[in-house]
Structure formats: structure tokens, C-alpha cells
Amino acid sequence: MEHLSVSEAQRVVLESAVVFGAEQVKLEQSLGRVLAEEVCANRDLPPYDISAMDGYALRSADLGNIPAALEIIEDIKAGDMPTKTLAPGQCARIMTGAPLPQGADAVIRVEETEAKPDNRVQINQAVKPGNDIRRLGESMRNGEVVLTSGTEITPGVIGVLATVKRAQVQVYRRPRVAILSTGNELENLDEPVDPNKIPDANSYALLAQVQALGIEPVLLGIARDDPDELARYLKRGLEYDVLLVSGGTSVGVHDYVRPTIEALGVQMLFWRVAMKPGHPVAFGKVPSANAAESAGTFVFGLPGNPVSSMVCFVQFVAPALRRMMGHARIHRRTIEARLTHNVKHQPGRTEFIRVLLAKEQGGYAATSTGAQGSGMLLSMARADGLAVLPAECNGLAAGSMVAVQLLDGMVFQDDAGIKE
Ligand code: AMP
Ligand code: MG
């Protein structure tokens, strides 16, 4: 089986990718990690009925005639426990977060009141029972599951973990990732510009794609198109959990990645996928000698063309890494957008078009970022997303709806600001 559809190839990758084991980290170091345990509330919160406002705790039945004057019998601050029970005609001054006294069934905020002499307050508005009270357990109940395994640890999740007093949390281990570029023509970032060479973009674009997932990968450098040199580099790469090799995966006579990698014991599960860009993309694995300690090495042979390499990363590598990291959500979010122009397409391969997205009435408009050659990295640098043209489609007319996989920049926008 060599020539799979994108979804079939994705299935092959995800069926092989195993979730890694867990490790313990300090709460302060857990941002971006993935919870490897279920987390339960360790008490009721709030622990009793508390005031939601600075104001007066009172008996709502006392407010039959407004304005009403009440006697203040106690001053309850956050952290205090009330000591008195309200009788008819009485109230207690209360601060946000302080427990309600016995007898009170509502709170009125201070803005609706006027201080009067002799420890009295005039209430200018009636309230219903329960007004401005936060009920015992309304935020969380003791023993309730508040976070499930597979949850990405965001600042909000950290707030919840601190609330349930988790100074240490169990998170999934992150795969160790190595990146290798191949090709005689490649020039390293720190080498002087040579007009006869091609700058190595893939090492760095892939590095950043991996970093964006919260993993710090290792760059192995550039291997020349020479079977011995390639074998030496690939061997080093196979010491990692995941190896990304770009270039040399097609059928040219100097594309040595396939034979070299197979000679090193990598079992290839596919070599070709019906996609554009990214046709010569390969995936395989080396079974682990010690399955208890490691799942072995997963190897992705990515196309040399920089756009192809990045698009293949989005389709195959990122979901695999997210699965290994234990994420419950492994697929990129897709939105429907309206194409602003015609798009040609030869049936046969799923095509990914780099697009800019613009908000419009009722949704988004998608416009190509320009020339779409698989070597034209600017088409990727400018893109908000990848519009997906299904393999069987005959092209799409302007106005058609198309699925767009969102790329990293889509969380923020230029015209910031909340609309109220
Ligand atoms: P290959 O897959 O090795 O046949 O390479 C396809 C094209 O991608 C060629 O034009 C290569 O020069 C180019 N290419 C390969 N590797 C890289 C890289 N690391 N950075 C930029 N371009 C590359
Ligand atoms: Mg090459």
C-alpha cells in the first residue's frame, strides 16, 4: 500500500502513535502541558453561602415598605465568621466573600443604601430572597471531577488546579524530537551566502512548528546526499522518539533516504500520499528493543520543498505529536469560508491552498496568499489557513464554501477590541 489518501495516511499515523507515559511537574511549570490524570475538587466552594457584594445581609421580608430602616448588628468582613442571628428589622454590614449570618436570606449592595445615625441604614430598594448570594458549592462540589485527563493546561486550568491545591500535577511526557535536513545544495544558517546554494529553511520552519506544540526539538543539521553520511545522521536521529527528515524522499537517483532508512531497520508504512503539495511524504517506525521504556522511533520523511514539508507537518506530524503528548484535541480547528476567487483543481489529490481569512457578514472570506508553488515559502508565511480542496473536486468557483484549517496566527486579529 503506497499511495494513500490524506485521511487514510493520517489514520495510519494516528494508529501507530502511542500516548507517552506521565511525569510529575510543579504547577508553575505546567503551562502548555497536558493533564495525565483526572482532577477532583477537594472541598465545596464556596464553603458556605457568601455575599457576592459589599453591602448588607438582611431578611428580604423586612423590605415590604421602601425605604426601610434597619439596625446594623454586626460587621462581617471576608475571612470572619458571623456571630449573631438576624432578628426582624436587623441587618449586618457584609463584605464580598464573607459568610451570610443566620437569619439573612439576601444581600443588598451598598449603592442602594444610605447610612443613618445610631447604627442604622436606610435600604432604598426591595430585593428577592437569594439576591447577591453565592451559594455553598456553586463553583465546585467536593469530589466532583473538575478536569479530565487530556486537558491542555491553560492559564484558566492552572487557576483551577491552584484552587484544588495541586502544587504538583501529573502530565504526559513530551516526545523528544530530532530534525534533519538532507541535500548537497543546502546552505546552513550560519554559513556565508553562496549563490550556488539553497538556504536551509526546513530545519528552522520545522523547529518552529514543533516548538509551537510546546516541544523543544534538536536540530541534527544537514546530511549530504551520500548513503554513508546519511546513515550516520539517521542513526543519531533514531535515538529520539520522533525523527523528522526533510528532502531526499522522492524518486530521484540521489534520493537516498528511502533505502538508507530501511537498511537501518525502519519499517515504512507509506511513502506517497495523494496530496498537493506534499506528494512524497513517508512515515515509518522502528520498533523498540525495550517496549516498556520506549515506543521506538517514529520517522517522518518530509518532502524537501519547504511548503510541502510544512503542510505535511500540519497534516501528519502535528496530530501525531499531539496524540503522543496526550492531548484530547489532536486535530486543527477547521472553519468554513467563502472563496473570493475561482480555484482550478485537477481531480486526484487533496490540495491545500494557503489563504488569508477576512471576517465578513456571516462568516469568513478566504483569498489565496498568491503564487502557490511548493517552494514559495511566502505563501505559507502570509497564510491564516489552509483551504482544503477534496481530491475528487474539479475546481471551485468564487463564492463556493471551502473548509479552511486554521494556522497559528488566527487567534489574534488587527482590529482588536471587544464589541459591546
Ligand atoms: P528533494 O525532496 O530533496 O528532492 O528537494 C526538493 C526541493 O526542495 C529542492 O529544490 C531542494 O533544494 C529543496 N529543499 C530540500 N531541502 C530543503 C531545505 N532544508 N530547505 C529549503 N529547501 C530545501
Ligand atoms: Mg534533495
Side-chain angles (χ1 to χ4, degrees), residues 182-186 223 225 246-250 254-257 303-305:
T182 72
N184 289 345
E185 75 282 26
L186 297 182
D225 293 317
S246 75
T249 55
S250 11
H254 296 295
D255 289 331
Y256 296 116
V257 169
N305 276 305

Side-chain angles (χ1 to χ4, degrees), residues 174-202:
R174 287 175 291 200
R176 295 167 308 124
V177 180
I179 295 169
L180 175 64
S181 287
T182 72
N184 289 345
E185 75 282 26
L186 297 182
E187 172 187 283
N188 209 335
L189 189 60
D190 55 16
E191 284 180 303
V193 173
D194 176 342
N196 298 315
K197 290 203 162 179
I198 300 287
D200 172 17
N202 292 357

Side-chain angles (χ1 to χ4, degrees), residues 48-51 57 76 82 94 98-102 104-107 133 135:
Y48 20 67
D49 291 354
I50 63 172
S51 177
I76 312 165
I94 194 164
L100 242 58
Q102 292 278 327
D105 70 349
V107 168
I133 295 174
R135 292 295 180 192

Side-chain angles (χ1 to χ4, degrees), residues 15-62:
E15 277 169 6
S16 319
V18 289
V19 180
F20 280 40
E23 64 186 357
Q24 187 146 303
V25 294
K26 287 170 76 172
L27 182 62
E28 304 92 300
Q29 258 117 54
S30 68
L31 182 66
R33 304 295 298 269
V34 181
L35 264 183
E37 59 175 329
E38 189 174 82
V39 174
C40 297
N42 60 343
R43 60 177 150 195
D44 293 329
L45 275 183
Y48 20 67
D49 291 354
I50 63 172
S51 177
M53 291 287 168
D54 290 340
Y56 294 88
L58 47 70
R59 303 156 57 99
S60 56
D62 284 345

